């Protein structure tokens, strides 16, 4: 091949390559124009879509190479521009198949239960109707003008055959003297013989009263606990003697005045003279004194202070107190005193239509005194 032909061939090849390149660039530009990003009507710039094919109803008088103007505000959609999408029809909720539900039965009306009146065997609230007045079965009735003293003994029974309570019962039987025992229920569960002592005291004609079960301060207890302390002891005493007590002495004299009417018992304290707690025998011994000295002290305290109508507090769980009480009785008998149970003393001035109140605390009963007496209902 000649040099001139070789040059012409090279030039033709180069022109062909340039033409191919130009054609490729043109096709690319046209494709880019078709695939340009446009803002969809009714959307924000963040909600643009890529249009790959021009819509068939797009205007044809817009040059394909014209620059796209970005709108400054998003136009409101119109029915002519972009129709609002038709919401899909609601999915029907399947109707549950009816089940065979039995017909409701009528609920019976509750039967009204009458509220029982609170008694000493009830745990009713203190605001309930007060318990009825107890019936006092007076065993002894002497001359109300006699000089009377009621000896009372707390916290027993105590000891066995040679114990303090048995010694007291033997001494009272020898003297034909009747006293009042305020029984602590716990003692009756301590030893079987204590129940024998209680039955012995009852059969000898002594009055049996309630001194609670555990000897706790009633003012520091709930209503339910107070009823339990009292009722438990009443139940035990009634099982042994066949008679339910109606006289109550609260430990330490700490009565629940707000509950006395609901409890329904006669509340007995002691007095009126104050030597410790009445005689102070619970201290067991006097400071710097022997047992005999303390016994002499107790005898002198009782005899020198005793008056007609007194209620004297002592404890049959202390042998010193038992001996002192028997000695004091011998001296007071010589002075013309008659020893009675609490019920006889407190009813000395009552007529046949009167009885004792459950809301009064009795400490003594002088001749002619009518305090604490109420009409029978």
């Amino acid at each position: 091949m000649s040099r001139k032909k070789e040059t012409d061939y090279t030039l033709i090849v180069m022109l062909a390559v340039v033409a191919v390149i130009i054609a490729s660039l043109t096709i690319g530009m046209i494709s880019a124009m078709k695939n340009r990003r446009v803002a969809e009507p009714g959307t924000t710039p963040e909600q643009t879509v890529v249009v790959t094919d021009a819509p068939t109803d797009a205007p044809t008088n817009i040059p394909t190479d014209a620059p796209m103007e970005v709108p400054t505000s998003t136009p409101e959609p119109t029915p002519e521009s972009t129709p609002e999408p038709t919401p899909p029809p609601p999915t029907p909720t399947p109707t549950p198949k009816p089940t065979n539900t039995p017909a409701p039965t009528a609920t019976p009306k509750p039967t009204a239960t009458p509220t029982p009146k609170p008694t000493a065997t009830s745990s009713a609230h203190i605001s309930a109707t007060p318990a009825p007045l107890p019936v006092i079965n007076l065993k002894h009735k002497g001359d109300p003008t006699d000089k009377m003293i009621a000896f009372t003994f707390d916290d027993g029974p105590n000891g066995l055959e040679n114990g303090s309570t048995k010694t007291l019962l033997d001494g009272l039987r020898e003297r034909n003297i009747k006293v009042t025992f305020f029984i602590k229920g716990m003692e009756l569960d301590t030893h079987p013989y204590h129940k024998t002592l209680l039955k012995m005291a009852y059969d000898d004609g002594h009055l049996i009263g309630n001194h609670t079960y555990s000897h706790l301060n009633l003012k520091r207890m709930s209503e339910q606990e107070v009823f339990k302390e009292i009722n438990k002891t009443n139940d035990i005493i009634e099982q042994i003697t066949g008679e339910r007590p109606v006289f109550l002495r609260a430990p330490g004299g700490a009565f629940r005045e707000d509950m006395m009417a609901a409890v329904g018992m006669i509340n007995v304290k002691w007095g009126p003279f104050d030597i410790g707690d009445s005689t102070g025998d619970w201290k067991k011994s006097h400071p710097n004194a022997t047992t005999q000295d303390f016994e002499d002290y107790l005898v002198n305290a009782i005899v020198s202070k005793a008056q007609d109508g007194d209620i004297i507090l002592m404890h049959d769980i202390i042998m010193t107190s038992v001996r002192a009480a028997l000695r004091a009785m011998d001296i007071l008998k010589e002075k013309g005193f008659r020893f009675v149970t609490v019920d006889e003393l407190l009813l000395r001035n009552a007529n046949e239509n009167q009885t004792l109140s459950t809301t009064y605390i009795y400490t003594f009963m002088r001749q002619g005194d009518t305090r604490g007496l109420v009409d029978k209902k």
Side-chain angles (χ1 to χ4, degrees):
M1 180 182 295
S2 64
R3 188 174 184 83
K4 183 175 181 306
K5 289 180 178 181
E6 182 179 353
T7 301
D8 292 339
Y9 178 78
T10 301
L11 181 60
I12 291 170
V13 171
M14 292 179 63
L15 290 173
V17 170
V18 171
V20 171
I21 293 173
I22 292 173
S24 300
L25 292 175
T26 302
I27 293 172
M29 290 178 63
I30 293 172
S31 177
M33 290 296 292
K34 289 183 177 181
N35 296 325
R36 69 185 180 277
R37 288 183 172 272
V38 295
E40 191 176 19
T43 64
T44 59
E46 291 77 13
Q47 295 172 313
T48 57
V49 296
V50 177
V51 181
T52 57
D53 293 313
T56 57
D57 58 350
T60 58
N61 60 348
I62 299 178
T64 58
D65 57 351
M68 173 64 67
E69 292 183 2
V70 180
T72 57
S73 62
T74 303
E76 293 290 333
T78 61
E80 292 76 16
S81 59
T82 304
E84 292 184 6
T86 303
T91 303
T93 304
T95 303
K97 295 181 179 181
T99 57
N100 296 327
T101 304
T105 58
T107 303
K109 295 182 179 180
T111 304
T113 302
T115 303
K117 293 184 179 181
T119 64
T121 59
S122 170
S123 59
H125 192 274
I126 60 174
S127 62
T129 305
L133 293 174
V135 177
I136 302 174
N137 297 318
L138 191 61
K139 294 183 178 181
H140 311 284
K141 182 67 174 178
D143 187 348
T145 63
D146 289 345
K147 289 198 302 183
M148 300 181 183
I149 287 184
F151 273 83
T152 63
F153 294 86
D154 290 6
D155 295 351
N158 178 68
L160 301 180
E161 288 81 353
N162 297 321
S164 54
T165 300
K166 181 61 165 58
T167 300
L168 176 61
L169 289 174
D170 292 343
L172 295 173
R173 194 178 303 111
E174 293 173 1
R175 293 166 174 79
N176 193 27
I177 292 175
K178 310 303 178 184
V179 300
T180 302
F181 289 94
F182 286 100
I183 303 298
K184 183 168 69 174
M186 183 183 295
E187 292 296 329
L188 299 174
D189 289 335
T190 301
H191 195 281
Y193 189 69
H194 291 178
K195 296 180 180 180
T196 301
L197 291 172
L198 172 60
K199 186 62 165 62
M200 190 182 302
Y202 179 81
D203 291 343
D204 283 351
H206 303 294
L207 180 64
I208 307 300
N210 187 322
H211 198 41
T212 75
Y213 186 84
S214 305
H215 201 272
L216 300 176
N217 190 327
L218 298 184
K219 290 188 175 182
R220 299 176 182 175
M221 304 174 71
S222 68
E223 296 170 20
Q224 290 74 19
E225 290 171 335
V226 169
F227 276 111
K228 182 178 179 181
E229 280 287 313
I230 296 172
N231 294 336
K232 189 173 183 178
T233 300
N234 277 345
D235 291 342
I236 300 174
I237 293 175
E238 186 175 20
Q239 291 172 2
I240 297 171
T241 66
E243 183 175 346
R244 196 168 188 84
V246 298
F247 290 88
L248 171 69
R249 173 173 284 165
F255 292 91
R256 281 285 300 267
E257 289 86 350
D258 58 339
M259 292 185 64
M260 292 194 302
V263 169
M265 299 186 72
I266 310 300
N267 302 279
V268 180
K269 203 174 178 182
W270 57 83
F273 63 86
D274 181 17
I275 303 175
D277 280 334
S278 186
T279 58
D281 72 319
W282 55 270
K283 297 178 182 178
K284 298 185 180 181
S285 63
H286 196 268
N288 303 319
T290 64
T291 301
Q292 185 61 49
D293 289 339
F294 184 56
E295 182 181 322
D296 294 340
Y297 162 80
L298 291 177
V299 172
N300 181 68
I302 297 169
V303 171
S304 63
K305 299 289 185 179
Q307 298 183 52
D308 172 42
D310 282 352
I311 300 175
I312 298 178
L313 164 64
M314 302 196 76
H315 296 79
D316 58 306
I317 61 173
I318 307 170
M319 186 64 80
T320 304
S321 300
V322 168
R323 290 195 296 261
L326 294 173
R327 286 176 55 191
M329 290 174 185
D330 292 338
I331 298 173
L332 291 173
K333 185 177 181 179
E334 294 178 357
K335 293 180 175 289
F337 284 94
R338 184 166 65 90
F339 308 105
V340 298
T341 53
V342 164
D343 53 353
E344 182 180 353
L345 175 69
L346 297 181
L347 287 170
R348 68 187 300 186
N349 302 314
N351 60 42
E352 60 182 9
N353 296 318
Q354 291 179 317
T355 187
L356 300 176
S357 171
T358 58
T359 60
Y360 188 85
I361 298 177
Y362 297 89
T363 56
F364 60 91
M365 186 64 72
R366 306 283 188 240
Q367 288 189 34
D369 193 352
T370 58
R371 288 176 294 179
L373 297 179
V374 296
D375 293 334
K376 295 179 180 180
K377 299 177 182 178

